[in-house]
Amino acid sequence: MRITCPFCGERELGEFTYLGDAKPQRPSADAGEDAVYDYVYLRDNIAGVMSEHWYHGGGCRAWLKVTRNTLTHEISAVEAAAGAGAAKVGA
Amino acid sequence: MAGDQANRLTSGGLIDRSTALSFRFDGENFLGFKGDTLASALVANGVKLVGRSFKYHRPRGILTAGSEEPNALVELRSGARREPNTKATTAELYEGLEAASQNRWPSLNFDVMSVNQLFAPIFVAGFYYKTFMWPAKFWEAIYEPAIRRAAGLGRAAGVSDPDHYDKAWAHCDVVIVGSGPAGLAAALAAGRSGARVILCEEDFVLGGRLLANGGTIDGLPAAEWVARTVAELEALPDVRIMTRTTLFGVYDGGTYGAIEHVNDHLPVPPEHQVRQRLWRIVARRCVVAAGAIERPIVFAGNDTPGVMMASAMRSYINRYAAAPARRIALFTNNEDGWRTAETAIAAGLQVAAVIDARPDVSPAHRSLASKGGFPVLHGSVSAVDGGKTGVRKISVSLTGGARAEVEADGLAVSGGWNPAVGPTSYHRGRPKWRDDIAAFVPDGVPPGMAAAGAANGAFGLGACLREGFEAGAAAARDAGRSGNIGSMPAADDEIFSITPLWHVAGKGKAFVDQQHDVTASDVELAQREGFQSVEHLKRYTTLGMATDQGKTSNVAGLAIMAAVSGKSIPETGTTIYRPPYVPVAIGAFAGHHRDENFHATRLTPSHHWAAELGAVFVDTGLWKRAQWYPRAGEKDWLESVTREVKAVRSGVGFCDVSTLGKIDVHGPDAGAFLDRVYINAFSSLAVGKGRYGLMLREDGIVYDDGTTSRLAEDHYFLTTTTAKAGLVMQHLEFCRQVLFPELDVQLTSVSDQWAQFSIAGPKTRDLLQEIVDPAEDLSNEGFPFMGAREVKLRGGLKARLFRISFSGEMAFEISVPARHGEAMARNLMIAGEPFGVTPYGTEALGVMRIEKGHVAGPELNGTTTAGDLGLGKMMSTKKDFIGRVMARREALVAPNRQVVVGIKPTDKARRLRSGAHIIPKGETPGPENDQGYVTSVCFSPVLDQWIGLGLVERGRERIGEIVRAHDPLRSEDYDVELCNSVFYDPDGGRQRG
């Protein structure tokens, strides 16, 4: 499998580390225990197109949001995480 | 006599008759020529019997001339290089080649286990399951060893492989699999268009079936056309031709696996060269021109030596000038098989008869028969009379019921052609059935791939060239190459007509899968017993599961299943195709990653200095760390370690701690960021101070710990444990980039940039004064406990100094740029000499941390909370941090959790061992009374006894209680006392002093 890193270009799978579903958002500090529990433990088992977090540890150390079809391994989009690179979000 | 090449034809062939090669097979000497395979050399020498079969130990000969061979498997080479299950049909002959037949004892001609044939009724499909089920204890003791002896393939060398294997990457626009007419035409079109092309050919000669079939292309004899084409390709700058290279797998994103047999054709690889190289080829497009595999017809005695695929006979006669037989019978159900009769006649061999299962034979072939003086028999072969010396007589059932017999010493068989659908099906594609050629053709081909020529079911030479050329041109175009592709090579198309015939009913064993000894009746039995699905058929009978992966047998097997279950062949379907296409040695996958190169080795900055001192090193992850520094006269590690600890506690010592992960955290929001990743606060830390920090996972369990110092308002220096260095960096980057992108903070890994030493003991300041510039104030006031700042060393070098202590002594850690690490170690030794400075290793480090009750890896084990470690009070209630909410869950704050506590045997002379379970006094050891276990132990020089830390239920409330340490692994059971986990200097006066 090959992933096109927005910073480094097309690179081989071995340079990347998989984390998992990129959909769940970390709840705010005042969210209750249930919301955090869902965030930590509840995951969809998606057969099809999925947004995933991958880490380019063997390259630029950017966290990426990769849109991948879990049935075919086809990667349709790759974008850098909001805080990847040098820019501060909202600055 | 041996070695006379009696069956070598007097002319022709792509062999170099001027280079004779001697070789040994089963201890007998033979001669062959350069350009031979082991199989063709055996054919030339009239050797028909080359092995015994897997289950029944039946005599077997050579069936094919390629990598689909099921029978002619040998042990190639000897000693450490002995390689079992090597196909004689692809092993290139070299001077001095040694090979031995397999699966026979005591000899190939007289094999004791061939009595298995007499017991054949019990060796049917599923016989392992049915026969050896009871009694259960017999399995390991009797059945399995006996079966392994009887039914085995070759023997592995049993010693380490002396050769090297390599792994490499290649990138191109178009990778082409196969160099037959379709592959060469594809390479021409793609190469001319300017595409970067890699052409993989598993053979050592280019040309594919053209080598055996001949033909005319662009008005030239095939061999001349191949030579001209190869010359043109070689002149193109971006075409790379890789012979001896089999494409074995298709992976995601246009990645292909290929194995190059770099030096398998030599006795020993030349110096500094590898035997094989595993390629990962990344290509935008792939053209599979891997050809087709001729399939057998299943009939009684079809495994007799001398029965050979018709196309293989053409290979041996035309390519190798070796006659597999003198008087050949041909059994075919299609037009193509007849070419073997033509070839035999052209080579001056006799054709005994052609047995054609089709109702009609073309007029051209009729006249060939009358000119050649042999009969054409309409019908099929029902039995073969012969044995280990080969075919003698063939029984034929004629259409209409009559019988005939043909005397011959060889039988060529053609049941039609199966396109090589492996590579096109590796993404779970299911080949589709084509009635007109009675074969499966590619369907559901992986993205970027196309099949061409015989691999796509186009069997005519003209069609192969056309499809190949067009596929090559399309692939290049898709890859963005648009150069002039010139004219397409052209040839006539042969007519291909076939009447499917899979199995001829008859008496005697009729083999479907010759390598695994699966017969037609096994397939029928599987159907009767309900194993009708092809996947069940495969596993129940082991059809297609041998090293040849059923290349000659799968389609026949499922066709017979279709017939007996009353379904059509497409309804029955194929099993899933999976790589590798040919067996690939594990050594090739490992490449150079073996022995000491299995993984990378990281050396600490002071490694070479420590090695000079004779340090004993321990592997911690990728690192080699000095474990202790033995001195002359010390009888064991414990004596050395105890000396090191005493030296530190009474004087001064130092230890390389550079393996800790080190991260620079920069930016206006650095403090706010650290507040969110640690349970305790860092934004409130004063510049010039350090603080111990604890990190949780989001589920509330402890992740990592370490000291973080604030060097400037917007600059923190964070350390992690050695084990988690990389993972913490990854975690922090996730927090920074994904969770908290609004924070203005940057992380830089500086683990390799800084050499860091811990200097500990009451004389630490004395030693440091000799290293640090005299202007630097190291007094308790000028550099208090947990102070951290940049200092100037004598000579001007800048260093970072941290007043932190893991040992419990007055201690500093000093960081210098890594390139100065070794010099620092040497300087500390010189400057410390008056104070008796003692270098210490990780073992002494561990002893002192246990004496001091500091937690480390055994306690930070992925199940413990901050509270369990006695660090619960560090959890801030004033801020959010990773793991805060989940850490408050009921079970994670339950009062009966197992928590860190000190443990010491009541008998001071007894050795405490890690892993011992804690059981209350008077209770029976067992899960119901298990209250925890000992996590870390050491011999404490201070207490003069073994001590330890453990995780024990309610441990901190039970200080002073005597419990049992129960150690069933070592058959030990003794009393221990639960005690304060800080054994040494509990009020911390020494480290503050």
Side-chain angles (χ1 to χ4, degrees), chain B residues 21 81 160 262 318 342 405-406 428 498 528 624 692 709 727 774 860 875 954:
Chain B
L21 303 171
R81 291 192 167 86
S160 184
V262 186
N318 286 335
E342 293 165 15
E405 285 195 337
V406 177
R428 290 211 149 220
I498 182 167
R528 284 202 302 280
K624 295 221 176 282
Y692 173 75
S709 306
L727 288 171
L860 274 63
M875 296 221 284
R954 295 179 189 269

Short mmCIF file of all heavy atoms in Angstrom, two decimals, chain B residues 21 81 160 262 318 342 405-406 428 498 528 624 692 709 727 774 860 875 954:
data_model
loop_
_atom_site.label_atom_id
_atom_site.label_comp_id
_atom_site.label_asym_id
_atom_site.label_seq_id
_atom_site.Cartn_x
_atom_site.Cartn_y
_atom_site.Cartn_z
N LEU B 21 28.85 -30.04 -19.09
CA LEU B 21 28.83 -29.86 -17.64
C LEU B 21 28.61 -31.21 -17.00
O LEU B 21 27.72 -31.96 -17.42
CB LEU B 21 27.70 -28.90 -17.24
CG LEU B 21 27.72 -27.51 -17.87
CD1 LEU B 21 26.44 -26.76 -17.55
CD2 LEU B 21 28.93 -26.72 -17.38
N ARG B 81 23.98 -25.80 2.12
CA ARG B 81 23.26 -25.22 0.98
C ARG B 81 22.18 -26.15 0.43
O ARG B 81 21.59 -25.87 -0.60
CB ARG B 81 24.24 -24.84 -0.13
CG ARG B 81 25.13 -23.67 0.24
CD ARG B 81 25.87 -23.12 -0.97
NE ARG B 81 26.46 -21.82 -0.66
CZ ARG B 81 27.66 -21.66 -0.10
NH1 ARG B 81 28.39 -22.71 0.19
NH2 ARG B 81 28.12 -20.45 0.17
N SER B 160 22.59 -23.26 9.51
CA SER B 160 22.41 -21.89 9.05
C SER B 160 22.83 -21.74 7.58
O SER B 160 23.83 -22.28 7.15
CB SER B 160 23.25 -20.98 9.94
OG SER B 160 23.03 -19.64 9.59
N VAL B 262 19.45 -14.61 -8.42
CA VAL B 262 20.65 -13.95 -8.93
C VAL B 262 21.75 -14.96 -9.23
O VAL B 262 22.36 -14.92 -10.29
CB VAL B 262 21.16 -12.92 -7.90
CG1 VAL B 262 22.31 -12.13 -8.47
CG2 VAL B 262 20.03 -11.99 -7.47
N ASN B 318 12.74 -29.38 -28.82
CA ASN B 318 13.15 -28.21 -29.59
C ASN B 318 14.15 -27.33 -28.86
O ASN B 318 15.10 -26.84 -29.46
CB ASN B 318 11.93 -27.36 -29.96
CG ASN B 318 11.11 -28.01 -31.06
OD1 ASN B 318 11.63 -28.80 -31.85
ND2 ASN B 318 9.83 -27.70 -31.11
N GLU B 342 4.05 -33.19 -34.70
CA GLU B 342 4.84 -32.55 -35.76
C GLU B 342 6.30 -32.42 -35.32
O GLU B 342 7.23 -32.71 -36.08
CB GLU B 342 4.28 -31.15 -36.07
CG GLU B 342 2.89 -31.18 -36.70
CD GLU B 342 2.22 -29.81 -36.66
OE1 GLU B 342 2.90 -28.80 -36.42
OE2 GLU B 342 0.98 -29.77 -36.86
N GLU B 405 -4.54 -51.13 -28.36
CA GLU B 405 -3.32 -50.98 -27.57
C GLU B 405 -2.23 -50.37 -28.42
O GLU B 405 -2.14 -50.64 -29.62
CB GLU B 405 -2.87 -52.35 -27.03
CG GLU B 405 -3.75 -52.81 -25.89
CD GLU B 405 -3.14 -53.96 -25.10
OE1 GLU B 405 -2.29 -54.66 -25.69
OE2 GLU B 405 -3.52 -54.15 -23.94
N VAL B 406 -1.45 -49.51 -27.77
CA VAL B 406 -0.37 -48.84 -28.48
C VAL B 406 0.92 -49.09 -27.72
O VAL B 406 0.97 -48.89 -26.51
CB VAL B 406 -0.64 -47.32 -28.56
CG1 VAL B 406 0.52 -46.61 -29.25
CG2 VAL B 406 -1.95 -47.03 -29.27
N ARG B 428 -8.43 -11.05 -4.96
CA ARG B 428 -9.69 -11.77 -4.82
C ARG B 428 -10.53 -11.75 -6.10
O ARG B 428 -11.74 -11.94 -6.06
CB ARG B 428 -10.52 -11.22 -3.65
CG ARG B 428 -9.88 -11.55 -2.33
CD ARG B 428 -10.91 -11.72 -1.26
NE ARG B 428 -10.42 -12.69 -0.28
CZ ARG B 428 -11.18 -13.61 0.30
NH1 ARG B 428 -12.44 -13.70 0.00
NH2 ARG B 428 -10.68 -14.45 1.17
N ILE B 498 -11.03 -27.32 -29.20
CA ILE B 498 -10.90 -28.22 -28.07
C ILE B 498 -12.26 -28.84 -27.74
O ILE B 498 -13.29 -28.19 -27.87
CB ILE B 498 -10.34 -27.49 -26.84
CG1 ILE B 498 -10.14 -28.45 -25.66
CG2 ILE B 498 -11.23 -26.31 -26.42
CD1 ILE B 498 -9.32 -27.88 -24.53
N ARG B 528 -19.12 -37.21 -2.20
CA ARG B 528 -20.08 -38.08 -1.49
C ARG B 528 -20.16 -37.71 -0.02
O ARG B 528 -21.19 -37.84 0.61
CB ARG B 528 -19.63 -39.55 -1.60
CG ARG B 528 -19.91 -40.17 -2.96
CD ARG B 528 -19.96 -41.70 -2.86
NE ARG B 528 -18.74 -42.30 -2.34
CZ ARG B 528 -17.65 -42.52 -3.08
NH1 ARG B 528 -17.63 -42.18 -4.35
NH2 ARG B 528 -16.57 -43.07 -2.56
N LYS B 624 22.28 -0.87 23.07
CA LYS B 624 23.20 -1.65 23.90
C LYS B 624 23.62 -0.74 25.04
O LYS B 624 24.17 0.34 24.80
CB LYS B 624 24.43 -2.09 23.10
CG LYS B 624 24.11 -3.04 21.98
CD LYS B 624 25.14 -4.14 21.89
CE LYS B 624 24.76 -5.17 20.84
NZ LYS B 624 23.72 -6.11 21.30
N TYR B 692 9.10 16.20 37.99
CA TYR B 692 8.73 14.85 37.54
C TYR B 692 7.30 14.90 37.01
O TYR B 692 6.43 15.50 37.62
CB TYR B 692 8.83 13.88 38.72
CG TYR B 692 8.33 12.47 38.44
CD1 TYR B 692 9.07 11.58 37.66
CD2 TYR B 692 7.10 12.03 38.94
CE1 TYR B 692 8.62 10.30 37.41
CE2 TYR B 692 6.64 10.75 38.69
CZ TYR B 692 7.40 9.88 37.93
OH TYR B 692 6.95 8.62 37.68
N SER B 709 12.05 19.86 32.26
CA SER B 709 12.64 21.08 32.84
C SER B 709 12.28 22.28 31.97
O SER B 709 12.14 22.15 30.75
CB SER B 709 14.16 20.95 32.89
OG SER B 709 14.51 19.76 33.58
N LEU B 727 7.34 6.14 20.97
CA LEU B 727 5.88 6.15 21.10
C LEU B 727 5.38 7.43 21.75
O LEU B 727 4.33 7.96 21.37
CB LEU B 727 5.43 4.94 21.92
CG LEU B 727 5.56 3.60 21.19
CD1 LEU B 727 5.31 2.45 22.15
CD2 LEU B 727 4.59 3.53 20.02
N PRO B 774 34.53 27.41 36.77
CA PRO B 774 34.49 27.80 38.20
C PRO B 774 33.50 28.92 38.50
O PRO B 774 33.05 29.06 39.63
CB PRO B 774 35.92 28.26 38.48
CG PRO B 774 36.75 27.67 37.38
CD PRO B 774 35.88 27.49 36.20
N LEU B 860 5.17 0.33 35.61
CA LEU B 860 4.42 1.06 34.58
C LEU B 860 4.08 0.05 33.48
O LEU B 860 4.59 0.12 32.37
CB LEU B 860 5.27 2.19 33.99
CG LEU B 860 5.29 3.55 34.70
CD1 LEU B 860 5.86 3.44 36.09
CD2 LEU B 860 6.11 4.56 33.90
N MET B 875 -2.39 14.12 40.43
CA MET B 875 -3.42 14.42 39.43
C MET B 875 -4.07 15.76 39.75
O MET B 875 -4.73 15.92 40.77
CB MET B 875 -4.48 13.33 39.43
CG MET B 875 -3.90 11.99 39.00
SD MET B 875 -4.96 11.09 37.91
CE MET B 875 -6.17 10.48 38.95
N ARG B 954 -4.40 -3.53 48.34
CA ARG B 954 -4.41 -2.64 49.52
C ARG B 954 -3.03 -2.56 50.18
O ARG B 954 -2.92 -2.36 51.40
CB ARG B 954 -5.40 -3.15 50.57
CG ARG B 954 -6.86 -3.13 50.16
CD ARG B 954 -7.74 -3.68 51.27
NE ARG B 954 -9.13 -3.89 50.84
CZ ARG B 954 -10.09 -2.97 50.94
NH1 ARG B 954 -9.81 -1.80 51.46
NH2 ARG B 954 -11.30 -3.22 50.50
#
